[in-house]
Amino acid sequence: ANNLRDVYRNVCTFLEDVNPNSLASSIYTNLRAYFEKILPQLDTMRFTRRFPPLKVGLNVMDLTHLTSEVQSLVIRSCLTYILNNERQVITVIPELWKFCPEGAGDPVKPALEALIRQGAVQGNYLWMDSQDISGADKSPLKQVSVWVLGLQLEKNEVQHTIDQLPLPRKSKPQADEVMTLKVGQFIVATPDWTNKVYVQP
């Protein structure tokens, strides 16, 4: 296979030759469905062969017009490039639960974990955003050293968030603190201190 369409054709061919009740059939069926989602969109896109030079300040990549599957492929490529070629870059991943889901695979996961584990040497860091952390894979969350917690109202999610913080019990915020945060207020928790802060909206 020289490209994704070749892989898709191979998957379709393999699917014809396997027992329909086998594990292989299930895997090939899922792969075929995945390729049938992404290939039509990839066919309409214009790709660059080089990563655009990052400017000093904020660089934004708007992927909202792409499906989740194609967004994942683009994000994975960017994270891999940044890890291998850039220095002093902070990458922000919104909606972590979507690109690094608990108990499920996603193309972003391996690249995200590689950047978390290896990027700091080159000054490359990752900021992850999520409405809640219960749906996100715990492997990257174990590497988080600074937590910025916003308002949570659902009691179980509040407690789950507090329990997830790798802090001594006496340093952890209380549930009522998290549930009464106002607009612009956050609880910042680091290995050394925990404070309520205000960020001007």
Side-chain angles (χ1 to χ4, degrees):
N2 296 310
N3 54 52
L4 290 178
R5 193 157 287 284
D6 287 348
V7 175
Y8 170 68
R9 280 192 282 268
N10 288 345
V11 166
C12 292
T13 300
F14 296 152
L15 195 51
E16 294 172 1
D17 298 330
V18 297
N19 180 335
N21 299 318
S22 67
L23 175 62
S25 176
S26 174
I27 292 170
Y28 291 142
T29 300
N30 286 335
L31 280 172
R32 182 178 65 185
Y34 176 73
F35 281 116
E36 286 172 353
K37 277 185 177 179
I38 67 167
L39 287 175
Q41 192 162 180
L42 293 177
D43 287 342
T44 65
M45 296 173 64
R46 289 177 50 225
F47 289 97
T48 179
R49 293 209 171 268
R50 64 185 186 86
F51 196 83
L54 295 176
K55 297 178 181 173
V56 174
L58 189 63
N59 296 264
V60 177
M61 186 176 286
D62 181 5
L63 304 178
T64 54
H65 61 289
L66 302 175
T67 63
S68 296
E69 293 83 6
V70 177
Q71 288 177 3
S72 290
L73 293 175
V74 173
I75 292 170
R76 177 191 172 114
S77 293
C78 292
L79 293 177
T80 301
Y81 180 87
I82 289 167
L83 175 63
N84 294 326
N85 299 282
E86 294 289 341
R87 293 182 175 276
Q88 307 297 322
V89 172
I90 295 173
T91 304
V92 181
I93 302 287
E95 305 300 350
L96 181 66
W97 60 269
K98 183 176 173 183
F99 301 109
C100 193
E102 178 73 52
D106 190 281
V108 172
K109 265 189 184 181
L112 183 121
E113 290 192 21
L115 183 60
I116 289 172
R117 293 176 187 275
Q118 303 169 38
V121 174
Q122 297 157 331
N124 295 326
Y125 294 96
L126 189 66
W127 291 2
M128 300 173 288
D129 158 66
S130 190
Q131 296 289 338
D132 61 72
I133 62 172
S134 58
D137 191 272
K138 300 309 175 279
S139 181
L141 297 183
K142 291 175 185 173
Q143 307 297 320
V144 173
S145 57
V146 177
W147 293 79
V148 182
L149 307 175
L151 173 69
Q152 287 284 355
L153 295 175
E154 201 280 312
K155 187 175 180 180
N156 293 324
E157 185 59 37
V158 171
Q159 196 55 53
H160 183 77
T161 301
I162 292 170
D163 291 344
Q164 181 68 34
L165 295 175
L167 298 170
R169 186 166 298 284
K170 62 181 173 56
S171 301
K172 292 187 179 191
Q174 299 300 307
D176 61 332
E177 292 179 84
V178 178
M179 296 177 80
T180 57
L181 291 169
K182 307 296 184 194
V183 174
Q185 289 183 335
F186 296 88
I187 295 173
V188 176
T190 78
D192 301 318
W193 53 267
T194 301
N195 279 321
K196 185 188 287 186
V197 301
Y198 177 75
V199 180
Q200 183 173 345

